[in-house]
Amino acid sequence: MTDVSVFHSLSYDRMYWAINLQRFSLIRRRHHRRFVISHHVRDPADSELSARFPAGPGVVIPNSHGEKLVGILHETGSKQLVIVCHGFQSTKDRIPMVNLAAALEREGISAFRFDFSGNGEAEDLRAIVQDFCAKGRVITAIIGHSKGGNAVLLYASKYNDISIVINISGRFNLKRGIEGRLGLGYLQRIKQNGFIDVRNKKGKLEYRVTQESLMDRLSTDIHAACHMICQDCRVLTIHGTKDKMVPAEDALEFDKFIPNHKLHIIEGADHEFTSHQDELASLVIQFIKANYQKDGPTSKRADGTIDSRM
C-alpha cells in the first residue's frame, strides 16, 4: 500500500451529481423516469488538444434506452480495444481522456472515448462493450476518470468480462459532506420539494440538486461493489495528492477492499492531472501491457520470440 502524507479533503463532490443551471440543459429520459445532462461548454484547452491529437473515426452506439452514445475511435488496426470513460460534467474531449487515448494509440493500442448519455451509468458502458464485442473486438481494459472511475468499478462488480480496470480519481465515499453543503434535514426537504437549490453567498443560484440524483448517489454502495469484483480482474487506482475534488484518502479505501488491486499516488497531481499527463499515461500503459501480456493471447515471431497481439 502506498503511504501518502498529504491529503486535501473536499466536503462535497458537486461534480458528481449537481446540475449547473447556467451551463447545462436538462433532458428527460424516455418514460420521464429520470434526468440526464447535456454538456454545451467547451474549454479552450479542448481546442488545443484537438489540434494536437486529430480526432479519429466518429462512432455512434445506442444504449438500452435508444439514446445515441457518440465516441471517437483511435484505430490502430489491433483487435484489442481499450475504452476510456469521462467523469460527471465532463466529455470525451477533455483531458485526461484525449491524452490517454492518444497515448494508447501511439503504443499501437486502439482506444475508444465516448460521451455518456447522462451521469455516466455503467449501463452505457455495457452497451459500448457489447457493441464492440459483437464486431469481433476484444476489450482489453476499461479506464474511467472521476465518476467514470466509479462507472468502470461498478461495471466490473456486475459483469465478469473485463480483466483490466483502471480507476483514475474515483470517489469511494459518496456520502462525504452532503449535509455540510445542503444543510440539516436535506433528505426531508428534497423529498418534499423534489429538489434543493444551492446558492452562493450573494444568493445567486449555482446549481440544483434533484431528488433522483441524490437518491442515486446515496444508494450506490461502492464498498460492496469493490468486494464483488472478481479476483481475476486486475484493478489499478491512480490518484493525486493535490486533488481538491476527490480527496486522495479515497484511493486508500479502494486499496483496502478491491481483491486484486494496485495503488499509485502521484505527488502534486490535481484532479485532472493537469501537469502530470505524461506520468499518468505512462502508468496506464505500463499496467495494461504488463497485465495483458501476463495472461493475454500471444503470437510468435519468425525468430521465435513472443510478442503480445496488442
Side-chain angles (χ1 to χ4, degrees):
M1 181 180 299
T2 303
D3 181 26
V4 180
S5 60
V6 181
F7 293 104
H8 291 262
S9 298
L10 184 71
S11 62
Y12 165 83
D13 183 10
R14 73 174 65 182
M15 294 284 287
Y16 185 86
W17 46 270
I19 299 176
N20 187 319
L21 298 180
Q22 296 177 344
R23 299 177 61 199
F24 298 87
S25 63
L26 294 176
I27 304 171
R28 285 191 179 275
R29 276 203 172 184
R30 189 176 63 173
H31 307 311
H32 305 282
R33 291 181 300 178
R34 52 186 168 178
F35 288 105
V36 298
I37 298 174
S38 178
H39 193 285
H40 298 294
V41 176
R42 190 174 185 83
D43 191 291
D46 299 339
S47 299
E48 181 181 347
L49 281 174
S50 298
R52 290 172 56 198
F53 307 114
V59 177
V60 178
I61 298 173
N63 65 10
S64 59
H65 299 287
E67 297 161 331
K68 296 179 179 180
L69 306 175
V70 180
I72 299 296
L73 178 61
H74 294 249
E75 181 63 83
T76 66
S78 69
K79 187 176 181 180
Q80 282 68 40
L81 180 71
V82 174
I83 299 174
V84 182
C85 306
H86 67 77
F88 188 76
Q89 293 188 348
S90 184
T91 75
K92 66 181 183 302
D93 299 320
R94 297 293 300 273
I95 48 176
M97 279 63 67
V98 174
N99 278 342
L100 284 173
L104 288 162
E105 184 179 8
R106 287 194 297 270
E107 292 292 321
I109 306 170
S110 295
F112 182 70
R113 52 186 170 92
F114 72 100
D115 288 329
F116 282 107
S117 62
N119 291 343
E121 295 91 346
E123 64 185 38
D124 282 353
L125 180 54
R126 181 62 172 170
I128 298 295
V129 170
Q130 289 183 317
D131 185 88
F132 277 108
C133 286
K135 295 173 181 175
R137 293 278 190 166
V138 175
I139 309 302
T140 305
I142 51 177
I143 304 171
H145 173 250
S146 193
K147 193 188 174 186
N150 290 110
V152 298
L153 292 173
L154 290 169
Y155 182 96
S157 73
K158 187 175 182 181
Y159 306 103
N160 185 24
D161 58 358
I162 303 295
S163 61
I164 301 174
V165 175
I166 301 177
N167 160 39
I168 303 172
S169 303
R171 177 176 283 283
F172 185 87
N173 185 357
L174 300 183
K175 298 180 181 180
R176 183 188 299 273
I178 295 178
E179 185 176 284
R181 182 64 63 169
L182 300 184
L184 294 172
Y186 66 88
L187 279 176
Q188 291 77 11
R189 288 187 289 117
I190 205 166
K191 287 180 180 179
Q192 180 179 354
N193 301 319
F195 62 89
I196 292 178
D197 286 339
V198 178
R199 301 179 182 275
N200 60 23
K201 294 180 179 180
K202 296 182 179 180
K204 184 178 180 180
L205 181 64
E206 291 190 334
Y207 53 88
R208 170 172 290 178
V209 178
T210 66
Q211 179 178 354
E212 187 168 18
S213 64
L214 177 62
M215 293 303 106
D216 178 67
R217 179 187 176 101
L218 293 176
S219 63
T220 301
D221 191 340
I222 294 296
H223 177 269
C226 288
H227 283 292
M228 294 174 65
I229 296 175
C230 178
Q231 175 70 36
D232 294 332
C233 180
R234 297 178 177 87
V235 181
L236 169 66
T237 291
I238 306 174
H239 218 107
T241 60
K242 297 294 186 180
D243 191 333
K244 295 182 179 180
M245 186 62 60
V246 181
E249 57 195 10
D250 279 33
L252 298 180
E253 294 302 307
F254 287 120
D255 198 36
K256 293 177 183 177
F257 302 111
I258 296 177
N260 193 346
H261 186 259
K262 181 177 181 180
L263 173 63
H264 192 100
I265 304 294
I266 298 180
E267 183 68 33
D270 61 17
H271 189 63
E272 291 195 336
F273 300 84
T274 306
S275 301
H276 297 78
Q277 287 296 306
D278 290 344
E279 185 175 358
L280 174 65
S282 178
L283 288 168
V284 167
I285 290 170
Q286 288 175 19
F287 188 77
I288 291 174
K289 283 189 170 182
N291 288 290
Y292 180 77
Q293 291 174 359
K294 184 179 296 184
D295 293 329
T298 59
S299 59
K300 285 190 176 181
R301 292 195 185 102
D303 61 3
T305 60
I306 296 177
D307 189 20
S308 166
R309 280 172 51 191
M310 190 187 310

